[in-house]
Amino acid sequence: MTERPVDNLRTPTRWAAGWLGLPAWGWALLALSAARALLLPAMELTPQEAYYAFYARAPALSYFDHPPLLAWLLAASMRLFGHHAFAVRVVPFLLTLGTQAGFIALARRFVPRAPGRASVLFCTTGAVTLLSLIALPDAPLVLAWTLALLALAAAVLDGRVWAWPLAGLWMGLAFDAKYTGAALWFGLLAFLVLSPAHRRLLRTP
C-alpha cells in the first residue's frame, strides 16, 4: 500500500468555488470590505485628511509637499457628494477596492497554487485596512503601483507591446500620487539592466 505524496505548496484545503461561483476567500474579502464600508461615516476626519480636503478646494498641478492626484480625486468626490466627511472617505475606500482586485490578479499569476491565501493575507494587513478608511496619498499610490506591476508583467514577461504605454501611464500616476512612486522607474531600470534575458529590451523602442 503506497502513501499519497504530500504537496507542501498546496493549501491544506482547496478553496473551491462556492456559492454563486465565488470562492470562500472571495466571500470573506467581500464581508471584510462591507465591514469597512460601515465604518466610513462613523469616524471624524483626521487633521491630515482635513489638510488634503483643503488642498482639494483649489486643484493645482502640485502643492507645497505633495503631488496632486489625491487632491484631484477628493475635489471630484466633493463635487459629486458634497463637502462632508463621506465625500473624503469614499475615495480611499474605492481606491483600496481597486488595489485588492489588482492584487488578486497578481496573486493568480505569481501564486497560482494559493491565490486566495495570498490575497487574504494582503487584504487583511493593517496597512490595507488603514488605507481603505483614511484619505492618504498612499491609497492612489498603492493602486497605481499594483496596476503598473500588472502592466509591466504583461509587457516584460509576456512581450505585450500594448502594455508598455499602459505601464507608463500607471507609473506616472503613481508619481502623481506620491513622490516615492519614482521607485518604480528605478526598479524597472535595475531589473532590465541586471536580467540577461530582458536586457535586450533596453535597445528597443
Side-chain angles (χ1 to χ4, degrees):
M1 183 175 181
T2 60
E3 295 184 3
R4 178 179 297 179
V6 177
D7 186 353
N8 291 327
L9 294 178
R10 292 186 179 276
T11 53
T13 58
R14 182 183 295 273
W15 287 11
W19 189 45
L20 296 181
L22 194 65
W25 59 265
W27 285 108
L29 293 182
L30 281 179
L32 178 62
S33 296
R36 289 170 176 165
L38 293 176
L39 293 176
L40 294 180
M43 300 183 297
E44 295 181 355
L45 293 182
T46 66
Q48 204 166 2
E49 287 178 299
Y51 182 51
Y52 300 136
F54 184 74
Y55 275 174
R57 295 171 67 92
L61 293 179
S62 65
Y63 298 92
F64 176 70
D65 57 349
H66 284 84
L69 185 55
L70 179 62
W72 294 345
L73 294 172
L74 292 178
S77 181
M78 288 190 290
R79 181 179 291 269
L80 182 63
F81 297 111
H83 291 263
H84 48 74
F86 176 79
V88 174
R89 286 278 166 74
V90 74
V91 171
F93 178 77
L94 294 177
L95 292 173
T96 305
L97 282 183
T99 298
Q100 292 177 137
F103 186 88
I104 290 171
L106 283 173
R108 289 187 184 280
R109 172 168 188 142
F110 293 106
V111 198
R113 289 177 179 253
R117 174 174 291 183
S119 299
V120 170
L121 286 174
F122 173 78
C123 296
T124 55
T125 60
V128 172
T129 298
L130 178 67
L131 293 181
S132 69
L133 298 175
I134 298 179
L136 298 171
D138 303 81
L141 168 69
V142 176
L143 173 59
W145 196 301
T146 302
L147 297 179
L149 291 178
L150 280 172
L152 286 172
V156 177
L157 303 180
D158 299 337
R160 308 290 187 184
V161 177
W162 56 265
W164 281 109
L166 187 60
L169 171 66
W170 291 120
M171 292 168 75
L173 287 174
F175 184 77
D176 282 340
K178 199 169 183 179
Y179 294 129
T180 50
L184 274 169
W185 297 92
F186 295 115
L188 173 61
L189 179 61
F191 174 80
L192 295 178
V193 169
L194 297 175
S195 172
H198 301 95
R199 196 174 299 145
R200 58 178 177 77
L201 294 173
L202 292 171
R203 300 191 297 270
T204 66

